[in-house]
Amino acid sequence: RIQTRKGHKLKVGPYILLDILGEGGMGRVFKARHVRMGREVALKVIRKERISNKNVIRRFQTEIRAAGQLVHPNIVLALDADSAGQMHYVAMELIEGSDFKQLVTDHGPMPMHVACEYMRQAAIGLPHAFEQGMVHRDIKPSNLMVTKQGVVKILDLGLAMLNEPDAIGKPEQVTVEGLVLGTPDFLAPEQAQNAHSVDVRADLYALGGTLYFLLTGKIPYDGPTPTAKVLRHVNEPPPSVRVWRPDL
């Protein structure tokens, strides 16, 4: 960017972009540094289409303000949220570690005692958020990180509303993965029926699906389409982890 005289695009509000950490349906995450404070953060820049009208922007600001009140060792701390031009961003504490999806991809299914310890920590963080009136609604392996010190961190609290129909104005697309209802691979049946009315039990269901993934390396229910996966969550009995891990 600097060589092509576009270095100004490496600045978002008071942050200088240093590196790209990841990209998903909601936006890009950068390693960034606050210009004046010198503090390095994980800066999530939200895709423009995720915040399409003033009502959604207002809800986004309200939920991010609520997320900023969450201070818990198992929840990634939200440090700042603002807009720069048409870009909306959230600054979070920078975590050195790996998410669960990457860990299983790189190293295979986890030993039982390791997976259970990680789930124990996540299950402590979720009720803290729920007590503050927040339900995550998109718990999945890629939204849970573990630091180099073995501490589990829940990501993206306060951004769940961007996965709801009125965030993009297209409620008919309820079957698109990661778009409206959460990720079908780990979706609670009641969330498929009414995403607005769920409580912390939906997050715990998704946490159980995540535990299944950590122990087997597989999602609980596979299917050719997101809709097919959701229907299996609704209609079929829980799959046995011992099919893949007879040692458990």
Side-chain angles (χ1 to χ4, degrees):
R1 294 289 180 117
I2 294 174
Q3 288 178 339
T4 57
R5 298 181 182 276
K6 296 179 180 178
H8 62 282
K9 293 188 176 182
L10 297 178
K11 191 170 184 289
V12 177
Y15 296 95
I16 298 292
L17 306 183
L18 304 176
D19 197 3
I20 186 165
L21 300 176
E23 184 171 7
M26 200 177 293
R28 288 182 173 182
V29 182
F30 298 91
K31 180 179 180 180
R33 181 185 296 117
H34 195 283
V35 175
R36 293 183 179 178
M37 299 180 66
R39 178 171 59 193
E40 293 188 353
V41 301
L43 191 74
K44 173 159 282 192
V45 180
I46 311 299
R47 294 187 187 280
K48 295 178 182 178
E49 60 268 24
R50 289 294 186 186
I51 302 184
S52 57
N53 60 57
K54 292 182 179 179
N55 289 333
V56 175
I57 292 174
R58 193 177 301 114
R59 281 190 61 196
F60 168 70
Q61 293 171 339
T62 299
E63 295 212 14
I64 287 299
R65 191 178 301 115
Q69 305 304 309
L70 300 178
V71 180
H72 191 278
N74 297 117
I75 298 175
V76 168
L77 189 63
L79 302 170
D80 186 19
D82 207 343
S83 60
Q86 293 184 326
M87 290 189 296
H88 294 264
Y89 62 85
V90 181
M92 302 166 288
E93 64 173 318
L94 184 64
I95 304 297
E96 291 190 13
S98 300
D99 65 58
F100 288 172
K101 183 177 181 180
Q102 193 62 51
L103 283 175
V104 173
T105 299
D106 292 345
H107 306 291
M110 296 181 182
M112 182 179 67
H113 70 282
V114 174
C116 287
E117 168 58 19
Y118 288 165
M119 291 298 95
R120 183 191 68 81
Q121 293 187 46
I124 292 173
L126 284 175
H128 173 73
F130 184 62
E131 288 167 2
Q132 310 303 315
M134 302 193 70
V135 181
H136 194 294
R137 284 176 286 189
D138 197 20
I139 292 292
K140 56 187 176 181
S142 59
N143 271 340
L144 294 166
M145 287 190 70
V146 58
T147 71
K148 293 181 178 180
Q149 292 75 35
V151 178
V152 171
K153 298 279 188 176
I154 301 170
L155 307 178
D156 277 359
L157 264 163
L159 297 182
M161 54 75 58
L162 296 182
N163 282 333
E164 293 186 7
D166 56 0
I168 55 171
K170 297 180 180 179
E172 71 275 10
Q173 296 187 5
V174 294
T175 60
V176 178
E177 184 169 346
L179 186 61
V180 173
L181 295 173
T183 303
D185 292 346
F186 306 96
L187 188 74
E190 68 270 25
Q191 190 169 336
Q193 296 162 351
N194 188 339
H196 295 270
S197 65
V198 298
D199 58 28
V200 71
R201 291 172 291 182
D203 285 348
L204 294 177
Y205 181 95
L207 199 64
T210 298
L211 175 58
Y212 184 93
F213 176 80
L214 297 189
L215 292 171
T216 67
K218 302 179 184 298
I219 60 176
Y221 300 102
D222 206 353
T225 65
T227 300
K229 294 178 184 180
V230 168
L231 289 175
R232 293 190 69 189
H233 278 277
V234 173
N235 297 319
E236 296 189 15
S240 173
V241 71
R242 296 190 68 189
V243 171
W244 307 106
R245 291 287 297 274
D247 56 307
L248 299 183

